Amino acid sequence: MYFRFRVKPGMTQVNMGKVIDGKAIAAGLYEEMQREVVELEQKYGRRPGLTVIIVGEDPASQVYVRNKEIAAKKVGFVSEVIRMPEQTTQEELLKVIARLNADPTVDGILVQLPVPKHIDKDAVIAAVAPEKDVDGFFGMKSGFTMKQGYVAPCTPRACIHLIKTTGETIEGRHALVVGRGELVGKPVATLLLNENATVTIAHSRTRNLGEIARTADIIIAAVGRPHIITGDMVKPGAILIDVGINRGADGKLCGDIDFASASEKAGWITPVPGGVGPMTIAMLMRNTLDCYLNRVR
């Protein structure tokens, strides 16, 4: 089955496929959330509150936290970053989380990973109140039943949103998830099932990956291997969502999908960078807003 081709806002034509511009789509979401926050503050008397905790001086984590802080301020949240030294004990960190859990003005709590090796990551994740877990770890464990107060992880939620921007339905489609990781592969497969897709999960050891991929209407690549999906593996008109972030032989960033060859066959395709990445942060803001709404209503 071939998809229809329609150019929409946030998409540009490249060869046969249309590029799904994550930056542009995220910018539109930020504008929507800005307006929503203004209205909600008038109605409920306060803005959503997001607190990010970072322990240590990991350079990549510092960049991620700064980007999240910028995004939170952009949409009008009450934003706080708690920076704790590398030698922070697990007990000290858990006390901070407990304080934030009890703070009625804090709607979202995010502990930036990784934490130092002497801290039990699982214990930290478990300590965050489920209704304030904007990372969606609790939802991941509960199977994303989307009960009141729980949200989905940011990157999987971003993938689903990007697919929906094409205007095509997910229901009834064959979706292939390449990657079985706990943070993206497994949860995005569950979200696709919730959308009534027929889902296949593959990984780096899957035999006949190309044969399987050629039957897929939707491919989400999240295995962390450069160009594991190539153009000859793509069904004409398929939607390709590339979660991978890798360094190619030339030192440049590239995804799990070979953009040059795959874009000639795909109906829609996300670039790397500029696709899923910007949308992940936008979904963190949406998760925070949803947690706020679940608490004030």
Side-chain angles (χ1 to χ4, degrees):
M1 180 180 293
Y2 287 75
F3 290 108
R4 299 183 303 278
F5 295 110
R6 299 190 296 269
V7 177
K8 296 190 167 205
M11 299 181 184
T12 55
Q13 189 80 39
V14 173
N15 298 326
M16 180 180 178
K18 290 183 280 294
V19 176
I20 306 174
D21 187 339
K23 286 185 178 180
I25 296 169
L29 288 175
Y30 287 138
E31 291 179 2
E32 291 177 8
M33 285 187 280
Q34 284 174 347
R35 292 191 292 269
E36 191 172 352
V37 167
V38 171
E39 295 173 357
L40 290 170
E41 184 178 19
Q42 293 174 348
K43 184 174 182 179
Y44 295 108
R46 70 175 183 88
R47 290 175 286 156
L50 172 65
T51 298
V52 177
I53 305 171
I54 180 170
V55 183
E57 300 294 332
D58 180 76
S61 292
Q62 294 288 341
V63 173
Y64 296 148
V65 168
R66 187 159 51 250
N67 289 340
K68 291 167 184 176
E69 186 177 17
I70 291 170
K73 291 180 178 178
K74 183 183 298 183
V75 298
F77 292 169
V78 176
S79 174
E80 179 187 17
V81 176
I82 298 176
R83 292 178 168 84
M84 306 182 73
E86 183 81 18
Q87 61 271 24
T88 297
T89 66
Q90 180 169 312
E91 183 181 3
E92 290 170 334
L93 178 55
L94 293 178
K95 283 182 178 178
V96 171
I97 293 172
R99 174 175 63 80
L100 296 173
N101 284 341
D103 188 337
T105 67
V106 175
D107 302 290
I109 303 170
L110 184 150
V111 180
Q112 182 64 45
L113 300 178
V115 291
K117 293 182 179 179
H118 64 275
I119 295 176
D120 183 347
K121 177 194 71 174
D122 293 334
V124 169
I125 291 172
V128 176
E131 67 272 15
K132 297 187 179 186
D133 174 23
V134 290
D135 258 329
F137 290 125
F138 186 85
M140 199 164 5
K141 292 180 180 179
S142 66
F144 311 121
T145 53
M146 295 306 170
K147 294 178 182 178
Q148 183 79 358
Y150 307 154
V151 295
C154 303
T155 298
R157 188 175 184 182
C159 292
I160 299 299
H161 187 90
L162 288 168
I163 294 169
K164 289 182 176 181
T165 64
T166 68
E168 296 293 342
T169 60
I170 297 175
E171 182 174 350
R173 305 293 191 189
H174 176 205
L176 171 65
V177 177
V178 187
R180 53 184 171 178
E182 298 293 335
L183 296 180
V184 180
K186 290 180 181 178
V188 81
T190 301
L191 292 180
L192 286 163
L193 285 170
N194 289 348
E195 297 286 342
N196 297 316
T198 299
V199 181
T200 299
I201 299 179
H203 44 80
S204 59
R205 297 185 182 181
T206 297
R207 298 179 181 179
N208 302 320
L209 179 59
E211 182 179 338
I212 297 170
R214 281 187 286 273
T215 69
D217 303 306
I218 299 166
I219 298 177
I220 297 179
V223 74
R225 181 172 292 187
H227 299 171
I228 193 172
I229 300 295
T230 54
D232 63 318
M233 300 165 67
V234 175
K235 178 180 180 179
I239 302 171
L240 307 184
I241 306 296
D242 196 344
V243 182
I245 302 178
N246 314 287
R247 288 284 177 187
D250 57 2
K252 295 182 179 179
L253 285 178
C254 65
D256 289 359
I257 298 173
D258 179 14
F259 186 89
S261 63
S263 62
E264 295 181 357
K265 297 279 288 296
W268 293 267
I269 185 170
T270 61
V272 175
V276 175
M279 281 296 297
T280 293
I281 296 180
M283 288 298 104
L284 171 62
M285 300 303 113
R286 185 66 250 181
N287 276 358
T288 302
L289 192 50
D290 288 348
C291 286
Y292 165 90
L293 289 169
N294 287 333
R295 297 183 68 242
V296 297
R297 285 176 174 170

